[in-house]
Amino acid sequence: MNGGEVKGVESPAEPLEWRFSQVFGERSAGEEVQEVDIISAIEFDKTGDHLATGDRGGRVVLFERTDKRDHGGYRRDLEMMDNPVRTHPEFRYKTEFQSHEPEFDYLKSLEIEEKINKIRWCQTANNALFLLSTNDKTIKFWKIQEKKVKKICDMNIDPSKATGNCNPACSIVKPYVTNGGCADRSYGYLSKDFALPAGSFAALHFPTKEQGIFETSCGWHLQHAFIALIAKDVLISDTKSNEGISKMLIKEYLFKVFARIDSYGTAKVHSNETSLSARCRRIYAHAHDYHINSISNNSDGETFISADDLRINLWNLEISNQSFNIVDVKPTNMEDLTEVITSSEFHPTHCNMLAYSSSKGSIRLIDLRQSALCDSHAKLFEGMEAPNSKSFFTEIIASISDIKFGKDGRYILSRDYMNLKLWDINMDSGPVATFQVHEYLRPKLCDLYENDSIFDKFECCLSGDGTRVATGSYSNLFRVFGCTAGSTEATTLEASKNPMSRRGPESPAVDANGNAFDLSTNLYMYFA
């Protein structure tokens, strides 16, 4: 023991000093916010180096960290050591892509919004980034990678074989009339003014890779594909267009192209520039009858789960046409339905364990090794309400909107409408800590029910070192609490350039600026 500390009890961490760092997408004064630009999902990757946001327009925007790291380690790792990062992290725009489009389910006569509900980062490989994004019905697996842009920088042409001042490309092109024929010959006439090189098809080749040019889409494979089409007397894909290009002219043109390239020399390709490309590798669809509320990656790097109100499905990243239903709470008679699934999360280190929360305020921990269909749970976590404190709103405000595992998997953080609760998975008798977030709204529950604000959902997160928890609130405010033994840290901040940090209990009716709370603005909250 050091300094008289009790073994097994952590000393409270020093309160953090919060400062404004960066803002993205800031609008100018008087500029209206478009509905499609409102952020609906946000997620850091495990290293904290990349940030992904999704909006109601179905777009995913990526940011990357740019500040130099003098210590050579990841930020989360440095938090675990006595060597904190001394500079504020800086992020810059990386790329964006359209993840989802609006759809229409004709069988159910249902419009499917393009809004991104959740984003989850997957394991990186070969300097490529991978992530999952989902709207209400469809999950997509994306690969984001830098690709080199290939440009022709030099043509090695033999001047003795050139025709006047014309280059090889233009010397083989002759004017065509609208019906596909050539101006100086009859339609379909195959010219005899050129001869195939010695060796026929085998001699019609682009220079090889060793000669300094590429052999991808414009190289060996394309050349042989064209020749194969010609040999089989097959029309090229666009021959049915209005131009009506004749089969014979296409043959003549292609033969002369390859002959000319072979006789005039080689082209050198320069690959210096890079561009980011996002490619959808898998689409996981038609597996949920209700809106998807959560997705979560498994620690094995091969599987993930998706959950809607009544079912949780297990997927393999490489198989998009099949999933396994592992949790099903749908009763035989829907009139007997008493609770729905609100969130689900895989254990960060044990690939066989996951937890899901319900609208009744309970959390169930299940073990996939017990059975294929996990009808029974390994552990049940639920808070006990005093009998005399129950009211019409008790079940509504007890509904859990989000759960998160701690980094080591020992604790589960849950968020309901009023509170944050921290649970120890080894102790199912009740939460080990409760942090009041909206207690000042308790006298106004009737008004909140009338305008449906009582059904608003908030997310939660734990810091990488596990010493703090955070969640969003109304009026762009977020709350940060210390969760180590003896900590009294409770900070309220505004997500703006002037955070207006305030510690301790907050005013029951006003925000950090003394204004009435704006129930129309909810804040997403994530620790990197």
Side-chain angles (χ1 to χ4, degrees):
M1 293 186 290
N2 277 328
E5 294 180 3
V6 180
K7 187 176 182 180
V9 178
E10 300 178 13
S11 59
E14 290 292 326
L16 296 175
E17 182 181 358
W18 293 85
R19 296 179 182 176
F20 169 78
S21 178
Q22 279 182 281
V23 60
F24 296 101
E26 186 179 29
R27 63 186 185 275
S28 57
E31 182 183 357
E32 293 185 3
V33 180
Q34 301 295 321
E35 179 76 14
V36 295
D37 294 330
I38 296 177
I39 294 176
S40 56
I42 184 169
E43 182 82 2
F44 279 100
D45 70 348
K46 289 184 178 180
T47 66
D49 288 341
H50 294 92
L51 172 66
T53 64
D55 60 28
R56 296 187 180 181
R59 292 165 298 185
V60 173
V61 183
L62 303 185
F63 301 89
E64 64 178 350
R65 189 176 175 183
T66 60
D67 55 305
K68 298 293 181 68
R69 295 182 175 185
D70 299 328
H71 304 287
Y74 289 127
R75 182 152 57 106
R76 281 193 170 184
D77 297 332
L78 294 175
E79 286 178 349
M80 301 299 291
M81 301 185 296
D82 190 20
N83 191 13
V85 177
R86 301 184 185 280
T87 59
H88 287 287
E90 294 180 3
F91 287 82
R92 70 177 179 186
Y93 169 85
K94 187 177 180 71
T95 188
E96 67 178 90
F97 56 90
Q98 188 71 32
S99 174
H100 288 73
E101 300 282 355
E103 301 175 36
F104 188 81
D105 188 337
Y106 292 95
L107 293 177
K108 298 182 179 180
S109 298
L110 179 69
E111 291 184 2
I112 303 174
E113 288 183 316
E114 66 269 35
K115 180 181 72 116
I116 305 297
N117 288 346
K118 294 289 181 180
I119 297 175
R120 290 292 181 266
W121 289 94
C122 303
Q123 293 181 0
T124 59
N126 300 325
N127 295 323
L129 302 174
F130 297 88
L131 59 81
L132 291 166
S133 62
T134 182
N135 63 355
D136 288 337
K137 296 291 184 179
T138 305
I139 307 165
K140 295 186 178 182
F141 183 41
W142 291 92
K143 177 181 180 181
I144 302 95
Q145 188 175 31
E146 287 187 351
K147 290 189 175 181
K148 291 184 178 181
V149 179
K150 296 179 178 180
K151 295 183 178 179
I152 297 177
C153 63
D154 187 22
M155 290 286 291
N156 297 329
I157 300 175
D158 186 353
S160 64
K161 298 182 180 180
T163 305
N165 295 325
C166 186
N167 60 46
C170 69
S171 66
I172 61 174
V173 179
K174 296 191 177 184
Y176 293 100
V177 294
T178 55
N179 65 356
C182 189
D184 60 354
R185 67 189 65 182
S186 62
Y187 179 81
Y189 174 76
L190 181 58
S191 173
K192 298 181 181 179
D193 61 355
F194 71 94
L196 295 180
S200 189
F201 289 166
L204 295 178
H205 64 277
F206 276 91
T208 63
K209 190 173 183 180
E210 290 73 14
Q211 290 176 294
I213 75 162
F214 60 104
E215 50 175 342
T216 55
S217 61
C218 293
W220 189 89
H221 297 291
L222 181 60
Q223 175 256 324
H224 276 76
F226 277 149
I227 292 178
L229 288 173
I230 295 170
K232 293 182 179 180
D233 204 28
V234 178
L235 286 174
I236 307 302
S237 60
D238 198 33
T239 56
K240 294 183 179 180
S241 63
N242 294 331
E243 286 77 5
I245 301 174
S246 70
K247 188 190 311 180
M248 302 299 287
L249 288 176
I250 292 172
K251 287 183 179 182
E252 177 184 356
Y253 182 81
L254 291 177
F255 276 127
K256 296 185 73 173
V257 165
F258 294 119
R260 290 280 184 173
I261 291 178
D262 190 48
S263 62
Y264 276 99
T266 61
K268 289 186 178 180
V269 174
H270 187 56
S271 302
N272 218 9
E273 299 179 7
T274 59
S275 66
L276 277 172
S277 66
R279 183 169 65 92
C280 183
R281 294 193 60 194
R282 300 283 188 278
I283 298 177
Y284 314 92
H286 312 300
H288 289 278
D289 293 329
Y290 303 92
H291 290 178
I292 298 172
N293 55 49
S294 56
I295 54 177
S296 178
N297 296 321
N298 199 345
S299 59
D300 61 11
E302 298 179 357
T303 56
F304 70 94
I305 55 172
S306 60
D308 60 25
D309 291 345
L310 300 179
R311 292 184 175 93
I312 299 178
N313 293 330
L314 177 67
W315 300 84
N316 187 296
L317 284 170
E318 299 300 324
I319 302 174
S320 59
N321 60 355
Q322 185 181 31
S323 65
F324 295 95
N325 178 227
I326 56 176
V327 175
D328 190 347
V329 299
K330 183 178 180 179
T332 305
N333 185 356
M334 287 296 289
E335 293 181 357
D336 299 330
L337 183 66
T338 58
E339 62 180 335
V340 296
I341 299 169
T342 57
S343 182
S344 62
E345 185 90 358
F346 257 121
H347 193 280
T349 57
H350 299 311
C351 62
N352 58 289
M353 294 179 65
L354 62 94
Y356 70 92
S357 58
S358 77
S359 57
K360 276 194 170 183
S362 61
I363 301 173
R364 290 173 172 84
L365 188 68
I366 63 176
D367 191 339
L368 298 177
R369 297 171 299 184
Q370 289 183 346
S371 63
L373 183 62
C374 301
D375 294 323
S376 60
H377 50 265
K379 285 189 177 181
L380 175 65
F381 307 92
E382 54 185 354
M384 302 300 294
E385 291 285 342
N388 56 357
S389 65
K390 289 187 176 181
S391 67
F392 172 77
F393 306 108
T394 300
E395 284 194 8
I396 300 176
I397 62 177
S399 176
I400 295 176
S401 58
D402 189 31
I403 60 172
K404 291 288 191 306
F405 272 101
K407 187 177 181 180
D408 60 357
R410 170 74 181 274
Y411 297 98
I412 300 176
L413 181 68
S414 67
R415 172 68 203 266
D416 56 42
Y417 187 76
M418 303 297 290
N419 306 304
L420 271 175
K421 294 179 180 179
L422 191 66
W423 307 79
D424 187 335
I425 64 172
N426 296 327
M427 187 176 71
D428 54 5
S429 58
V432 295
T434 301
F435 308 97
Q436 295 181 350
V437 180
H438 285 162
E439 190 63 28
Y440 61 91
L441 293 176
R442 192 173 292 275
K444 302 179 180 181
L445 292 180
C446 186
D447 296 334
L448 295 171
Y449 179 78
E450 290 294 329
N451 60 24
D452 288 338
S453 294
I454 199 171
F455 300 105
D456 289 342
K457 299 182 183 301
F458 299 88
E459 298 186 3
C460 59
C461 59
L462 296 91
S463 62
D465 57 5
T467 59
R468 292 175 179 85
V469 296
T471 189
S473 182
Y474 293 112
S475 298
N476 286 339
L477 297 181
F478 63 94
R479 307 291 308 276
V480 181
F481 301 93
C483 58
T484 54
S487 175
T488 58
E489 180 180 359
T491 307
T492 302
L493 299 120
E494 183 179 3
S496 68
K497 290 186 176 181
N498 300 307
M500 299 290 290
S501 173
R502 296 187 295 121
R503 291 186 173 86
E506 58 182 307
S507 171
V510 297
D511 62 13
N513 298 319
N515 303 317
F517 276 99
D518 181 6
L519 299 180
S520 64
T521 55
N522 300 2
L523 190 67
Y524 295 93
M525 189 65 205
Y526 281 93
F527 271 120

